[in-house]
Amino acid sequence: MSYISDNIMSRTGGWLLFLAALGALAVSLPTTYTVRGGVHFLLVVGVIGIWRYSVGLTHFVRAMYFLKWAYPRFRREAERLGESAAPSHVYLMVTSFRIDAGTTAMVYDSIIREAMECGWPTTVVASVVELSDEMLMRAMWRKLDPPGHIKLKIVRIPGTGKRDGLAFGFRAISRDLPDENAVVAVVDGDTVLEPGVVRKTAPYFRLMPNIGALTTNEFCEVRGSYLMSEWHKLRFAQRHMNMCSMGLSYRVLTLTGRMSVFRASVVTRPEFISDVEYDSLKHWRLGEFRFLTGDDKSSWYSMMRLGYDTFYVPDAAIRTVEHPPDPSFIRSARQLMFRWYGNSLRQNSRATKLGPRRLGWFTWYVLFDQRISMWTSILGLTAAIVAAIKYTGIVLVAYLLWIGLTRLLLTMLLIATGHSVGPTYPCILYFNQIFGSLVKIYVFFRLDRQSWTRQKTRFSADNASFQQRMNRWSSRIMTLSAGSIFLALVMKLV
């Protein structure tokens, strides 16, 4: 009770501090002031702002419709099917590599218990690298002693990355020759399954014949600072809202590697396994290179290419154990954003080529908008700074007040997701907007550079080769040129 009381007090104090800061900005503005060219400045920034906020509002409205009306209808239809919607077999495949033993034990325990609870014929497939993980899985298996309809299959692989771990696991499943009604849940090594997740997800494959895969709601337990914990929680709240919006179109934009469920007949297809294991991109300037990370984006792209739909189940939850890659918040955010945005942009460059006929107009626009938002998200701040230098610093104060008010409103909207909302969210939202846009711009011109934060795996290349030197220098030149053109346009508009 004392912890809960202290937590409520700290959150209340945080909100009061934020509101006090907004009040200080408001009273610091003069009651009347004019800025030469101010009307033009407000028109330019306002029109772009309305466009950007309209995109966010559209996602919010779609998400609320999905949560309150569309999904409950799907859930009732699935429940009416009863046991006729049961899969013929369930595969729970987990991939583990260099995760601490405590987290791994929690994950294995939740998977075995979920196999026992669902009551359907189940095979647990553990794709592991190290002998210690295999020994831990076998020890958990002996301890829980699951019934005879639950089998264990250990797949030992070399430590060459998660993509190989998934491919080896999929091939092991394919050797069982699963039928059309079998499903495969792919679980990451730091993901704890909440009870009932299999029974909540499996029936949709019978209800919706063209669904190739679906993903679930995520909550997190962060082994790091308070700020890092709030940053991750905000990310999952935003993810939930975006997933609900895209689930309305049967086009969730990523099949999260932490926990997604597939049709067994899809993951056993040789072309799907190849897409996950050997995915690559041929870039006009950087040449052809294989994807090191982003298996969740590769599996989504393969689904779209093969003609399947994807779905989101908001009431099926998992809990991830997050280990920040660095004690510093800024360095951790930079490393994680570099990986996330790199994966998204590498997928984006070829997914849009599938066209609106395959993706649907809304999904195609959302993908196209990802390329634009990295620039429009920093336009307001850049314009405010230029206007403050050219005219008066009052412009910057007014802009900061506007940012504080709008981010407060966006934070309030996130309450509807069912995720917790903290007093740091308005500031973190703006940090993600500005810092995230800068990382996106940097990554956009360096799509061949990849890293995996936990395993410390990096894209290896011969830095002495002529091609690599050209790539490195051309990336710098293009980044500088794009930034200069953007700044020149903003100065012209202001």
Side-chain angles (χ1 to χ4, degrees), residues 227-239:
L227 186 58
M228 179 58 67
S229 176
E230 293 294 284
W231 185 66
H232 274 283
K233 290 175 182 176
L234 170 61
R235 172 175 169 260
F236 285 126
Q238 290 179 301
R239 172 193 179 275

Side-chain angles (χ1 to χ4, degrees), residues 164 277-281 288-292 450 459:
D164 288 340
E277 187 174 18
Y278 301 114
D279 201 5
S280 63
L281 178 66
E288 186 171 4
F289 53 90
R290 283 185 60 184
F291 290 176
L292 177 64
Q450 306 167 63
F459 176 78

Side-chain angles (χ1 to χ4, degrees), residues 261-276:
V261 188
F262 299 79
R263 286 189 186 274
S265 58
V266 175
V267 300
T268 55
R269 292 179 63 165
E271 56 266 50
F272 178 84
I273 297 175
S274 179
D275 283 344
V276 173

Side-chain angles (χ1 to χ4, degrees), residues 187-201:
V187 184
D188 210 351
D190 55 5
T191 300
V192 179
L193 303 185
E194 294 295 323
V197 67
V198 171
R199 278 197 164 267
K200 289 178 179 178
T201 54

Side-chain angles (χ1 to χ4, degrees), residues 326-344:
D326 195 281
S328 167
F329 171 73
I330 296 295
R331 287 196 295 268
S332 285
R334 178 180 57 81
Q335 290 182 48
L336 291 169
M337 284 180 173
F338 184 88
R339 177 164 61 86
W340 297 337
Y341 295 151
N343 294 338
S344 295

